[in-house]
Amino acid sequence: MLGYFITVIYLLTTVNQGLCDDGYFWHVTDFHYDPTYETTSLSCKESKVGDQIGTFGDMWCDSPWILIESCVQAMKKFKRNVDFVLWTGDTILHADVEKINHTFNAVILDNTTDVLKAAFPDIPVYATFGNHDAYPTGQFPPNNTLLYNESLARWRSWINDDTQDEDFRNGGFYTVKTSYGIRIVALNTNFYYTPNKLVSPEGDPAGQFAWLTETLGNATDQNEKVIVTAHISPGVTPKPDIPFFSDQNDKLVEILRQFADIIVAMHFGHEHADAFKVLKNTAGVPTAPLFLAPSIAPLRFGPMHNPGVRLVKYDRITGKHIDISQYYLDLNAANRAGVADWKLEYTASDAYNIQDLTASSLTALIDRMEDSDSTEFKTYRKFYYVSPPENLTEDCDWKCHAVIFCGFTEFNLDDVKKCEKKMVSEAIRMTSWKYLYGFLVFVLVTYIHT
Ligand SMILES: [Zn+2]
Ligand SMILES: [Zn+2]
């Protein structure tokens, strides 16, 4: 009898442990810290800012220090005990190249590294470079450089693995295994960003593609699950456009597809928008979810948006992404009140009524967004701009909807354009039928009444 009870208690404990493997991590991106915000406001778009810029930031400027500090303090307040933090770059302000220099940028990188270290002293932050972090902006050489060497010194305690030094010094990429066994693959995708003049648009800068293939191959052999992180994402933006040189976009996508079955998620910044995509594996099955986190910096080259930072809930063993809690700052309200009151904007499970963030759940959600009038698509658009000030959400017509919809799963510009054309002609066909049907009903009613 006693043995029976012991067995039952053991099983209950085991099951309970199985249910308690949830872990959390923060993803913060695009601080774009402007140390001149209160003085010469280098980052502000002069034609757009009003008479006075707000204490906590302005929709048409990069971040003042007080905004960055309030964000990091909010992260600490909402969830201090996270397993790690992803920090996907663009820490430097938007400014003309002659107004800044390497030393100016280095101080910004030091300050932001220090504020994260102070808030999360025992927690690794997996940092990657954004296109603005190089000087001159966007110029990433495929070999040893001051930025890589200085940043290795800044971030060494987080990477905590000397065997990564050579790759980091040459290209700013690395891989680490988290304490729970999930592998982080941190890439420098700025090599492939079209403004970069220091690489060949067809080549393999710093051998990162070869390294990625080898790293993901080893992870497969070791039965590991992988989180990929970098600043710029492959795939098509809503413009529609691809940020990368075409060949390199396709090459990166091809490698990620090849190993999609072990990639539990990919996390990027750069777009200053809240978005996601789903990558299919080589068999055409939606397999690897891809998330774009919104920026801390309010400035965006498009409609206004608020600053946002996200907390991800995941299964520590399988790596499965369970939920996103998206936090944000209503910037105008903060400036009016004189207090930066960061709040929960949404949780993905509630907002989209989904069980988890796996590729299959996201694919079902994408299906529900095929209708541009669907609540899900409208919700997606609102969160895309981080709940922007009222009446500022841009209209999204058929074409706009089609590009976004196609871009959820297509990662090549030609494929998106083909898909978009098909969707728009289908929409025109349906509308023509609707009008024809209305006309016939009108004729019939008129005929009956005469
Ligand atoms: Zn940015
Ligand atoms: Zn960027």
PDB file of all heavy atoms in Angstrom, residues 218-235:
ATOM      1  N   ASN A 218      25.443  20.805 -36.256  1.00  0.00           N
ATOM      2  CA  ASN A 218      25.879  20.257 -34.961  1.00  0.00           C
ATOM      3  C   ASN A 218      24.718  20.198 -33.972  1.00  0.00           C
ATOM      4  O   ASN A 218      24.579  19.243 -33.219  1.00  0.00           O
ATOM      5  CB  ASN A 218      26.993  21.130 -34.351  1.00  0.00           C
ATOM      6  CG  ASN A 218      28.276  21.030 -35.143  1.00  0.00           C
ATOM      7  OD1 ASN A 218      28.467  20.068 -35.900  1.00  0.00           O
ATOM      8  ND2 ASN A 218      29.154  22.008 -34.997  1.00  0.00           N
ATOM      9  N   ALA A 219      23.887  21.251 -33.980  1.00  0.00           N
ATOM     10  CA  ALA A 219      22.724  21.289 -33.074  1.00  0.00           C
ATOM     11  C   ALA A 219      21.764  20.139 -33.390  1.00  0.00           C
ATOM     12  O   ALA A 219      21.199  19.522 -32.488  1.00  0.00           O
ATOM     13  CB  ALA A 219      22.007  22.634 -33.207  1.00  0.00           C
ATOM     14  N   THR A 220      21.615  19.846 -34.685  1.00  0.00           N
ATOM     15  CA  THR A 220      20.758  18.721 -35.092  1.00  0.00           C
ATOM     16  C   THR A 220      21.330  17.419 -34.530  1.00  0.00           C
ATOM     17  O   THR A 220      20.588  16.609 -33.952  1.00  0.00           O
ATOM     18  CB  THR A 220      20.680  18.639 -36.637  1.00  0.00           C
ATOM     19  OG1 THR A 220      20.273  19.913 -37.136  1.00  0.00           O
ATOM     20  CG2 THR A 220      19.701  17.566 -37.096  1.00  0.00           C
ATOM     21  N   ASP A 221      22.651  17.232 -34.691  1.00  0.00           N
ATOM     22  CA  ASP A 221      23.295  16.009 -34.190  1.00  0.00           C
ATOM     23  C   ASP A 221      23.136  15.857 -32.682  1.00  0.00           C
ATOM     24  O   ASP A 221      23.041  14.759 -32.162  1.00  0.00           O
ATOM     25  CB  ASP A 221      24.800  16.026 -34.523  1.00  0.00           C
ATOM     26  CG  ASP A 221      25.038  15.985 -36.027  1.00  0.00           C
ATOM     27  OD1 ASP A 221      24.099  15.619 -36.765  1.00  0.00           O
ATOM     28  OD2 ASP A 221      26.164  16.330 -36.468  1.00  0.00           O
ATOM     29  N   GLN A 222      23.135  16.990 -31.996  1.00  0.00           N
ATOM     30  CA  GLN A 222      23.053  16.963 -30.528  1.00  0.00           C
ATOM     31  C   GLN A 222      21.611  16.992 -30.026  1.00  0.00           C
ATOM     32  O   GLN A 222      21.381  17.148 -28.826  1.00  0.00           O
ATOM     33  CB  GLN A 222      23.796  18.179 -29.932  1.00  0.00           C
ATOM     34  CG  GLN A 222      25.269  18.269 -30.266  1.00  0.00           C
ATOM     35  CD  GLN A 222      26.065  17.106 -29.688  1.00  0.00           C
ATOM     36  OE1 GLN A 222      25.867  16.721 -28.547  1.00  0.00           O
ATOM     37  NE2 GLN A 222      26.944  16.519 -30.495  1.00  0.00           N
ATOM     38  N   ASN A 223      20.640  16.915 -30.950  1.00  0.00           N
ATOM     39  CA  ASN A 223      19.213  16.991 -30.581  1.00  0.00           C
ATOM     40  C   ASN A 223      18.862  18.270 -29.834  1.00  0.00           C
ATOM     41  O   ASN A 223      18.073  18.259 -28.897  1.00  0.00           O
ATOM     42  CB  ASN A 223      18.805  15.802 -29.703  1.00  0.00           C
ATOM     43  CG  ASN A 223      18.605  14.569 -30.541  1.00  0.00           C
ATOM     44  OD1 ASN A 223      18.085  14.668 -31.665  1.00  0.00           O
ATOM     45  ND2 ASN A 223      19.033  13.435 -30.044  1.00  0.00           N
ATOM     46  N   GLU A 224      19.491  19.369 -30.224  1.00  0.00           N
ATOM     47  CA  GLU A 224      19.223  20.637 -29.546  1.00  0.00           C
ATOM     48  C   GLU A 224      18.091  21.400 -30.240  1.00  0.00           C
ATOM     49  O   GLU A 224      17.847  21.202 -31.428  1.00  0.00           O
ATOM     50  CB  GLU A 224      20.484  21.511 -29.568  1.00  0.00           C
ATOM     51  CG  GLU A 224      21.596  20.987 -28.701  1.00  0.00           C
ATOM     52  CD  GLU A 224      22.910  21.747 -28.896  1.00  0.00           C
ATOM     53  OE1 GLU A 224      23.048  22.492 -29.886  1.00  0.00           O
ATOM     54  OE2 GLU A 224      23.801  21.556 -28.057  1.00  0.00           O
ATOM     55  N   LYS A 225      17.457  22.268 -29.495  1.00  0.00           N
ATOM     56  CA  LYS A 225      16.477  23.193 -30.067  1.00  0.00           C
ATOM     57  C   LYS A 225      17.121  24.582 -30.093  1.00  0.00           C
ATOM     58  O   LYS A 225      17.898  24.933 -29.192  1.00  0.00           O
ATOM     59  CB  LYS A 225      15.199  23.221 -29.228  1.00  0.00           C
ATOM     60  CG  LYS A 225      14.456  21.889 -29.256  1.00  0.00           C
ATOM     61  CD  LYS A 225      13.934  21.567 -30.643  1.00  0.00           C
ATOM     62  CE  LYS A 225      13.222  20.222 -30.686  1.00  0.00           C
ATOM     63  NZ  LYS A 225      12.936  19.786 -32.061  1.00  0.00           N
ATOM     64  N   VAL A 226      16.785  25.354 -31.123  1.00  0.00           N
ATOM     65  CA  VAL A 226      17.538  26.587 -31.387  1.00  0.00           C
ATOM     66  C   VAL A 226      16.630  27.817 -31.445  1.00  0.00           C
ATOM     67  O   VAL A 226      15.541  27.767 -32.023  1.00  0.00           O
ATOM     68  CB  VAL A 226      18.286  26.433 -32.739  1.00  0.00           C
ATOM     69  CG1 VAL A 226      18.939  27.738 -33.162  1.00  0.00           C
ATOM     70  CG2 VAL A 226      19.344  25.329 -32.656  1.00  0.00           C
ATOM     71  N   ILE A 227      17.116  28.904 -30.851  1.00  0.00           N
ATOM     72  CA  ILE A 227      16.515  30.224 -31.046  1.00  0.00           C
ATOM     73  C   ILE A 227      17.512  31.041 -31.869  1.00  0.00           C
ATOM     74  O   ILE A 227      18.680  31.169 -31.471  1.00  0.00           O
ATOM     75  CB  ILE A 227      16.224  30.933 -29.702  1.00  0.00           C
ATOM     76  CG1 ILE A 227      15.101  30.203 -28.944  1.00  0.00           C
ATOM     77  CG2 ILE A 227      15.850  32.399 -29.927  1.00  0.00           C
ATOM     78  CD1 ILE A 227      14.846  30.742 -27.539  1.00  0.00           C
ATOM     79  N   VAL A 228      17.068  31.545 -33.001  1.00  0.00           N
ATOM     80  CA  VAL A 228      17.920  32.384 -33.848  1.00  0.00           C
ATOM     81  C   VAL A 228      17.594  33.842 -33.532  1.00  0.00           C
ATOM     82  O   VAL A 228      16.412  34.206 -33.406  1.00  0.00           O
ATOM     83  CB  VAL A 228      17.666  32.102 -35.349  1.00  0.00           C
ATOM     84  CG1 VAL A 228      18.450  33.074 -36.230  1.00  0.00           C
ATOM     85  CG2 VAL A 228      18.057  30.660 -35.689  1.00  0.00           C
ATOM     86  N   THR A 229      18.615  34.657 -33.389  1.00  0.00           N
ATOM     87  CA  THR A 229      18.367  36.077 -33.132  1.00  0.00           C
ATOM     88  C   THR A 229      19.350  36.947 -33.914  1.00  0.00           C
ATOM     89  O   THR A 229      20.501  36.554 -34.131  1.00  0.00           O
ATOM     90  CB  THR A 229      18.428  36.386 -31.609  1.00  0.00           C
ATOM     91  OG1 THR A 229      18.148  37.767 -31.394  1.00  0.00           O
ATOM     92  CG2 THR A 229      19.790  36.066 -31.014  1.00  0.00           C
ATOM     93  N   ALA A 230      18.871  38.088 -34.366  1.00  0.00           N
ATOM     94  CA  ALA A 230      19.686  39.047 -35.125  1.00  0.00           C
ATOM     95  C   ALA A 230      18.894  40.346 -35.227  1.00  0.00           C
ATOM     96  O   ALA A 230      17.723  40.399 -34.818  1.00  0.00           O
ATOM     97  CB  ALA A 230      20.000  38.514 -36.516  1.00  0.00           C
ATOM     98  N   HIS A 231      19.527  41.359 -35.785  1.00  0.00           N
ATOM     99  CA  HIS A 231      18.820  42.645 -35.895  1.00  0.00           C
ATOM    100  C   HIS A 231      17.833  42.650 -37.068  1.00  0.00           C
ATOM    101  O   HIS A 231      16.646  42.909 -36.894  1.00  0.00           O
ATOM    102  CB  HIS A 231      19.832  43.782 -36.051  1.00  0.00           C
ATOM    103  CG  HIS A 231      19.200  45.128 -36.156  1.00  0.00           C
ATOM    104  ND1 HIS A 231      18.440  45.666 -35.141  1.00  0.00           N
ATOM    105  CD2 HIS A 231      19.176  46.044 -37.173  1.00  0.00           C
ATOM    106  CE1 HIS A 231      17.991  46.851 -35.516  1.00  0.00           C
ATOM    107  NE2 HIS A 231      18.419  47.107 -36.740  1.00  0.00           N
ATOM    108  N   ILE A 232      18.334  42.359 -38.264  1.00  0.00           N
ATOM    109  CA  ILE A 232      17.465  42.451 -39.443  1.00  0.00           C
ATOM    110  C   ILE A 232      16.998  41.057 -39.855  1.00  0.00           C
ATOM    111  O   ILE A 232      17.798  40.125 -39.952  1.00  0.00           O
ATOM    112  CB  ILE A 232      18.184  43.136 -40.630  1.00  0.00           C
ATOM    113  CG1 ILE A 232      18.790  44.481 -40.171  1.00  0.00           C
ATOM    114  CG2 ILE A 232      17.214  43.369 -41.785  1.00  0.00           C
ATOM    115  CD1 ILE A 232      19.602  45.199 -41.227  1.00  0.00           C
ATOM    116  N   SER A 233      15.720  40.965 -40.115  1.00  0.00           N
ATOM    117  CA  SER A 233      15.102  39.685 -40.469  1.00  0.00           C
ATOM    118  C   SER A 233      15.160  39.456 -41.976  1.00  0.00           C
ATOM    119  O   SER A 233      15.064  40.414 -42.753  1.00  0.00           O
ATOM    120  CB  SER A 233      13.647  39.748 -40.011  1.00  0.00           C
ATOM    121  OG  SER A 233      12.848  38.852 -40.740  1.00  0.00           O
ATOM    122  N   PRO A 234      15.263  38.199 -42.399  1.00  0.00           N
ATOM    123  CA  PRO A 234      15.053  37.926 -43.827  1.00  0.00           C
ATOM    124  C   PRO A 234      13.564  38.064 -44.135  1.00  0.00           C
ATOM    125  O   PRO A 234      12.749  38.193 -43.226  1.00  0.00           O
ATOM    126  CB  PRO A 234      15.496  36.464 -43.963  1.00  0.00           C
ATOM    127  CG  PRO A 234      15.293  35.863 -42.611  1.00  0.00           C
ATOM    128  CD  PRO A 234      15.511  36.980 -41.623  1.00  0.00           C
ATOM    129  N   GLY A 235      13.222  38.072 -45.408  1.00  0.00           N
ATOM    130  CA  GLY A 235      11.812  38.160 -45.779  1.00  0.00           C
ATOM    131  C   GLY A 235      11.435  39.525 -46.313  1.00  0.00           C
ATOM    132  O   GLY A 235      12.294  40.393 -46.512  1.00  0.00           O
TER     133      GLY A 235
END
